[in-house]
Amino acid sequence: MKRIILLLGLFLMLTLSVIVNAKVVIFLYHRFEDARYPSTNTWINELENHIRTVKELGFDIWTMKDLEDYVYRRKNSTKDAVVFTVDDGYRSVYDHAYRVFKKHNVPFCVFVQVGAVGYPDYLNWEMINEMIKDGVEFANHSFSHSDFPMLLSKMEEKELLEYFRRDLRKSQQLFKEKTNVTLRYYAYPYGHYIPQMIDVLKEENLVLGFTQDPGPYDRAYGAFEIPREPLIDDWASEKHLRYILSREPLIAEGTPFSLQNDILTVNLRILVPKEVRYATLYVSEKGLIKSDLNGDIISGTTKLTKKYNRLMISARDTQKEYLRYYLLFYAQGE
């Protein structure tokens, strides 16, 4: 009898460990205290409020290494978490944000455009090495900050991927030479990528890839399409912060859409939430598009004209909103 009870307890623990996973929200910043570029700026008082709010709501604050371990299942957690990231490597992260993160004992990661280091308005190697010694994590945001998929209008896919590989290797090598640190994570410039670029990252021993698609992260999304929430300009408000932290990751079965010529077709089964009361489809070029919900299957079709779009799938159960964004790249678009 005791053995049966122990086995049942073990089974319950294993079941719960599979079902209950942490939601992770990765924050994205660019500039700080820089009124010249309001669309990518965050004021320091807003950053401090983000930190206070996250702690007030009881979220864990993870390092990028924590996130890596979670993605690869070396770390398990049922408590929701956030990760702070900053793109490009502007000097304002050193002049303004660095001291705030230190003051609140909050880890953060800078995705640096390696080819811009030392230029006016950007970090220099002395600053970067000081921050590394202080525990700040750094990651790769390319050497050239090229919009790589756009180059398909000028070159074949094979040539593009070789250019992407050379750019990646150049940034990896220079950063290693200047800091003795090997970068392990990559953020796609402008958030733009094609699936074949993920293969290059894997071949070059990068272990995580980050987009600029909003939304919370679930391990079901994999290691190279990790969404991030921009907290810039109007989106830096406390109201918006609390809203994005309230959302849950939507999980779908298989490939959720197809893009043939200029026609986007969405047809997917929603796995999470388990009980779908309401669902919508949104495409950045069109806004909300007509969709049909049949049980847990949502479908819709629309014509695209732009090279880049983002598809959002949003669903609700009786209590929460669940969503996921997908990048759409249509090479023949405007």
Side-chain angles (χ1 to χ4, degrees):
M1 186 66 179
K2 287 183 178 180
R3 185 179 179 185
I4 293 173
I5 293 172
L6 286 172
L7 288 172
L8 285 172
L10 180 60
F11 174 78
L12 180 60
M13 289 175 62
L14 290 172
T15 302
L16 287 172
S17 69
V18 171
I19 294 174
V20 182
N21 286 320
K23 168 183 73 182
V24 188
V25 182
I26 298 94
F27 294 160
L28 170 59
Y29 301 90
H30 287 83
R31 296 177 169 92
F32 299 91
E33 296 290 302
D34 196 338
R36 298 172 300 168
Y37 304 98
S39 64
T40 54
N41 181 58
T42 304
W43 300 106
I44 285 302
N45 66 305
E46 293 173 325
L47 175 61
E48 295 218 56
N49 189 51
H50 299 164
I51 294 170
R52 283 194 298 268
T53 302
V54 163
K55 291 182 176 181
E56 173 196 323
L57 294 174
F59 281 72
D60 281 345
I61 300 176
W62 285 0
T63 65
M64 287 289 283
K65 184 60 169 61
D66 289 328
L67 179 62
E68 176 193 337
D69 289 342
Y70 182 70
V71 170
Y72 287 95
R73 300 183 182 274
R74 298 188 294 266
K75 171 186 177 73
N76 289 305
S77 177
T78 58
K79 189 177 180 183
D80 293 341
V82 301
V83 179
F84 287 82
T85 72
V86 182
D87 271 11
D88 297 322
Y90 294 111
R91 184 186 175 107
S92 65
V93 69
Y94 180 87
D95 290 340
H96 303 292
Y98 183 24
R99 60 177 172 79
V100 172
F101 286 122
K102 287 178 68 173
K103 170 185 170 184
H104 294 281
N105 195 29
V106 169
F108 70 104
C109 176
V110 180
F111 284 93
V112 63
Q113 180 191 343
V114 178
V117 175
Y119 278 72
D121 262 3
Y122 287 85
L123 297 171
N124 58 40
W125 291 113
E126 183 179 354
M127 296 171 184
I128 290 173
N129 277 297
E130 176 189 339
M131 293 167 77
I132 289 172
K133 289 178 182 177
D134 211 19
V136 178
E137 295 170 296
F138 278 82
N140 200 323
H141 196 37
S142 82
F143 185 88
S144 63
H145 206 267
S146 296
D147 189 342
F148 292 103
M150 287 289 282
L151 298 177
L152 287 172
S153 62
K154 303 176 182 178
M155 58 182 71
E156 296 295 323
E157 182 183 292
K158 182 178 180 181
E159 188 179 358
L160 164 66
L161 294 176
E162 282 306 310
Y163 175 74
F164 174 65
R165 190 187 301 273
R166 289 195 301 272
D167 185 274
L168 175 61
R169 287 179 173 176
K170 189 174 182 179
S171 57
Q172 291 287 97
Q173 181 179 350
L174 181 58
F175 199 90
K176 176 74 172 179
E177 287 176 357
K178 296 293 187 177
T179 66
N180 200 33
V181 171
T182 299
L183 301 177
R184 296 170 53 79
Y185 318 122
Y186 191 93
Y188 309 105
Y190 309 101
H192 295 164
Y193 65 100
I194 58 174
Q196 295 85 342
M197 289 167 57
I198 294 175
D199 296 331
V200 174
L201 292 179
K202 292 177 180 177
E203 291 163 5
E204 297 295 323
N205 299 315
L206 279 293
V207 298
L208 297 177
F210 293 79
T211 73
Q212 289 189 24
D213 302 326
Y217 172 76
D218 185 275
R219 284 196 290 211
Y221 297 178
F224 290 91
E225 295 178 290
I226 300 176
R228 293 186 292 166
E229 289 281 3
L231 292 176
I232 53 179
D233 198 18
D234 293 341
W235 289 351
S237 70
E238 182 176 340
K239 180 179 179 181
H240 182 71
L241 173 66
R242 288 180 179 271
Y243 167 61
I244 65 174
L245 291 175
S246 73
R247 303 186 300 196
E248 300 292 329
L250 181 143
I251 302 175
E253 181 179 70
T255 304
F257 64 87
S258 63
L259 183 54
Q260 300 257 336
N261 298 321
D262 57 356
I263 302 299
L264 169 69
T265 302
V266 179
N267 187 49
L268 77 143
R269 182 184 300 277
I270 298 172
L271 301 179
V272 177
K274 291 183 177 180
E275 181 183 0
V276 182
R277 292 294 186 92
Y278 176 75
T280 57
L281 299 177
Y282 173 91
V283 177
S284 51
E285 177 184 333
K286 298 291 184 71
L288 290 174
I289 66 171
K290 184 179 178 181
S291 60
D292 295 310
L293 179 64
N294 184 9
D296 57 2
I297 297 176
I298 187 169
S299 57
T301 301
T302 192
K303 182 176 181 178
L304 301 181
T305 62
K306 304 294 185 184
K307 283 189 183 294
Y308 290 114
N309 270 287
R310 283 187 168 88
L311 165 67
M312 181 192 75
I313 302 164
S314 174
R316 298 193 71 95
D317 57 15
T318 57
Q319 294 182 323
K320 295 183 178 181
E321 178 185 7
Y322 299 73
L323 83 162
R324 184 173 181 184
Y325 278 81
Y326 297 86
L327 178 71
L328 306 176
F329 176 66
Y330 171 45
Q332 285 73 49
E334 298 170 1

